[in-house]
């Protein structure tokens, strides 16, 4: 067991740190959370900066330990978050890389890396959330196109996306996991209506997407027709496997800030609160170690991120909510003021046990696939 | 970074597991329960011969010359098997108290908490006042750990050794992993309503949570063994205590009425886990220390 950097990793870390120190002070100010075009421009601008410096593909090409160092150092330095690039960089792109043809990789991957195009995820439907395979959005062949009709919901970043990783039903007669196909749909195509949905945090993070006879070229299909469920599992393993890792570092930073705030406003004198913060320190230290363990395991086996991602997500999503509940206790009355960033972060933390597969679904995965318990009837 | 067990570490873990399976199997465990308060001296010497106590003693001093990570793996196995005795005190005394390293001498210790384990059976008691005759025997909740209470002011105040805290966490980790295994085994085997209870989601989710707590604790305990950082050790302790205590409780729940019987081993897991949570000032001390760590703001 070794937690120190290899010589190559140490060199990468030093070079990255040095570069971050130079480039971060030159960045423009962050746009307001409600300014979606501004956020798109800002997030893509950061990706472009990474691209120009040779760091754009760090999530894809590099060894898992380099990826971990990248997330750790950028977060510690307070660099921008992937933001609107999330779906493209962290799961649609890796899915295209793993399952796409040479032409598809050439068409879609470079613009993601350069920060030219934003992707969104059109999986969930009003009647197909946890039971994703129950999706009903239909697609039928017409010449070289699929014609798609139906609707998607909770689609994050849909308003500013260029592409959508879209799941459609191509064979309504097949058993529900079989007749599904994975398509890349251009968001500018005629027949698409995006209607922003307001989240409980008051912002329009996600949207409903209505599809009325939208034409998507057959060439945009990733994987075989009716084999989309398998491709989807690849996408979800990326989404749960590594996508949340950098956030643990951010939580640790926030926890330190909480302690200092409590010290300043006198709440620190309450031993129950102090101990709660101490316990959260233990929690986030452990989550970071669990990340390092999972990454080392992935490196050793050379495979896709495994079901260990579900173990991590279960614990992390819970811990993140506890962190911001503790923040509310530190803030006292200020915890009711939406102008404090911890208050909006507290609200958005509520989505972590739901989005990307609810905690109940993750527990089913852990119990059936890791522990080998029987499926219920 | 290669945060996985090495080949040698795997071999060591398997070796200890094998030794305990031979020498302290379920029959031996239940026999020990039937003779509470008596330490098996022959087993103690065998552990000594196998290098359990001298694991971290330098080879030049007749030890095995390994480090904290290896000790953690060995104590995790001890925790899994519910091996009784003042294992940590004797391990820490190796090289300092004659006979401790080879298991000839049984060493108990006052560890900063108000309770001493195995006082009456020990040859040497470290860390307390000269004589601990004022210590009061308790009717111990754990049939496999005899306990004495030390009245305030009798034992001299002792600084807590972080290594003792870490090895306790390792034992808790082993117990937690065992609780998870027993729960899953039972969930697969026991049938109700015409199917294994493990097919019911309520049981599935208890088992999944058992595993999640074990894996989080494992990462924390192993990392603390590598860094030996006091804050990492405190964190490991909190997670391991939680994994062991809640794990044993949930395991009991999965076993239903059978879990509440003396014959099932689950109460032994829970009771031992409780005893260990009281060591070295209990969880509150670790929580306070980790709170201070936030202010000292290394911010890692
Ligand atoms: C902030 C946010 C962003 C999102 N972004 C996207 C996105 O970009 N693209 C996208 O496609 N989707 C997105 N989603 C949707 C998300 O994936 C779904 O909300 C999620 O999968 C749950 O589905 P549901 O909302 O239909 O809840 P339901 O499936 O209706 O679940 C309701 C409750 O029932 C429980 N439940 C359901 N089935 C079971 C079961 N088998 N066993 C036990 N309990 C069960 C759930 O755990 C939950 O507690 C987003 C959601 C959120 C909150």
């Amino acid at each position: 067991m070794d937690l120190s950097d290899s010589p190559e990793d140490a060199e990468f870390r030093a070079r990255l740190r040095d570069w971050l120190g130079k480039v971060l002070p030159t960045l423009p100010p962050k746009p307001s959370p409600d300014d979606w075009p501004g956020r798109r421009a800002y997030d893509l601008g950061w990706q472009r900066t990474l691209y120009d410096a040779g760091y754009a593909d760090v999530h894809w090409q590099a060894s898992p330990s380099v990826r971990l160092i990248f997330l750790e150092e950028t977060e510690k330095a307070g660099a921008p978050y992937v933001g609107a690039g999330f779906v493209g960089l962290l799961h649609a792109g890796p899915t295209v890389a793993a399952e796409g043809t040479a032409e598809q990789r050439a068409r879609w991957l470079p613009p993601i890396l350069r920060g030219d195009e934003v992707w969104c995820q059109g999986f969930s439907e009003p009647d197909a959330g946890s039971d994703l395979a129950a999706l009903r959005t239909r697609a039928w062949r017409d010449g070289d196109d699929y014609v798609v009709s139906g609707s998607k919901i909770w689609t994050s970043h849909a308003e500013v996306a260029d592409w959508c990783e879209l799941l459609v039903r191509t064979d309504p007669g097949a058993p529900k996991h079989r007749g599904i196909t994975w398509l890349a749909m251009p968001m500018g195509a005629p027949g698409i209506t995006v209607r922003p949905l307001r989240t409980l945090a008051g912002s329009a993070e996600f949207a409903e997407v209505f599809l009325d006879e939208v034409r998507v070229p057959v060439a945009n299909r990733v994987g075989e027709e009716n084999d989309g469920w398998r491709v989807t599992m690849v996408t979800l393993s990326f989404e749960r496997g590594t996508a949340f890792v950098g956030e643990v570092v951010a939580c640790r930073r926030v926890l330190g800030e909480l302690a200092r705030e409590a010290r300043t406003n006198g709440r620190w004198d309450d031993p129950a609160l102090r101990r709660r913060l101490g316990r959260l320190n233990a929690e986030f230290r452990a989550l970071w170690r669990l990340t390092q363990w999972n990454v080392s395991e992935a490196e050793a086996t050379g495979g896709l991120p495994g079901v260990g991602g579900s173990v991590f997500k279960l614990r992390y999503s819970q811990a993140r909510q506890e962190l911001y509940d503790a923040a509310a206790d530190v803030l006292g009355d200020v915890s009711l003021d939406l102008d404090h960033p911890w208050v909006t972060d507290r609200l958005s933390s509520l989505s972590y046990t739901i989005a990307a597969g609810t905690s109940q679904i993750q527990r089913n995965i852990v119990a059936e696939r890791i522990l080998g318990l029987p499926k219920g009837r | 970074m290669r945060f996985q067990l090495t080949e040698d570490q795997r071999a060591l873990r398997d070796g200890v597991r094998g030794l305990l399976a031979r020498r302290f199997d379920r029959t031996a465990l239940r026999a020990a329960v039937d003779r509470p308060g008596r330490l098996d001296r022959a087993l103690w010497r065998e552990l000594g011969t196998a290098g359990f106590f001298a694991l971290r003693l330098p080879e030049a001093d007749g030890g095995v010359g390994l480090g904290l990570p290896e000790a953690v793996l060995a104590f995790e196995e001890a925790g899994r098997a519910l091996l009784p005795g003042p294992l940590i005190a004797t391990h820490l005394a190796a090289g300092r108290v004659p006979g401790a390293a080879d298991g000839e001498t049984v060493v108990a210790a006052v560890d900063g908490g108000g309770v001493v384990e195995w006082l009456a059976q020990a040859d040497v008691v470290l860390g307390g006042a000269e004589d601990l005759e004022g210590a009061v025997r308790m009717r111990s909740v754990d049939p496999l750990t005899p306990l004495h209470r030390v009245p305030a002011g009798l034992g001299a105040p002792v600084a807590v050794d972080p290594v003792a805290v870490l090895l306790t966490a390792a034992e808790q980790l082993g117990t937690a992993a065992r609780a998870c295994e027993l729960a899953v085994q039972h969930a697969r085997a026991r049938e109700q309503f015409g199917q294994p209870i493990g097919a019911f989601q309520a049981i599935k989710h208890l088992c999944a949570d058992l595993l999640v707590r074990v894996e989080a604790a494992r990462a924390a305990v192993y990392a603390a063994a590598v860094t030996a950082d006091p804050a990492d050790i405190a964190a490991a302790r909190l997670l391991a205590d939680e994994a062991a205590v809640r794990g044993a409780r949930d395991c009991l729940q999965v076993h239903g009425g059978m879990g509440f019987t003396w014959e099932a081993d689950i109460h032994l897991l829970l009771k031992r886990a409780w005893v260990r949570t009281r060591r070295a000032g209990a969880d509150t001390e670790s929580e306070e220390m980790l709170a201070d760590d936030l202010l000292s703001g290394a911010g890692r």
Side-chain angles (χ1 to χ4, degrees), chain B residues 197-231:
Chain B
I197 56 169
F200 300 120
Q201 202 172 50
I203 295 295
K204 235 175 233 181
H205 287 192
L206 279 177
C207 292
D209 286 341
L210 272 160
L211 183 78
V212 171
R213 287 192 295 263
V214 168
E215 292 306 315
R218 181 183 307 287
V221 170
Y222 289 1
V226 173
T227 65
D229 174 78

Side-chain angles (χ1 to χ4, degrees), chain A residues 121-124 129-130 153-156 206 351 354-358 360-361 364, chain B residues 201:
Chain A
Q121 181 186 37
F123 283 13
S124 307
S130 300
I153 194 169
W154 306 302
T155 317
S156 305
F206 50 30
S351 74
I354 298 170
T358 68
Q360 285 69 36
I361 295 300
N364 289 349
Chain B
Q201 202 172 50

Side-chain angles (χ1 to χ4, degrees), chain A residues 8 39 97 109-110 114 128 159 260 287 296 332 346 354:
Chain A
E8 305 85 69
R39 280 173 68 176
L109 301 187
R114 274 198 309 267
E159 271 188 282
R260 285 188 288 281
L287 282 164
S296 291
R346 184 187 193 199
I354 298 170

Side-chain angles (χ1 to χ4, degrees), chain A residues 67 71 90 237-246 295 305 309:
Chain A
R67 201 156 67 222
L71 291 167
L90 299 184
S237 78
F238 284 114
E239 185 176 5
R240 287 165 196 166
T242 45
F244 295 106
V245 163
V295 161

Side-chain angles (χ1 to χ4, degrees), chain A residues 135-136 138-140 169-176 178-180 226:
Chain A
L135 64 92
R136 287 206 296 251
R138 280 278 287 126
W140 57 94
R169 183 158 303 281
T170 33
D171 182 355
K176 69 176 187 176
R178 297 266 168 72
I180 294 171
N226 298 330

Side-chain angles (χ1 to χ4, degrees), chain A residues 23-29 42 46 49 79-80:
Chain A
V23 74
L24 291 184
T26 70
L27 291 187
Y42 184 84
W46 171 240
T49 308

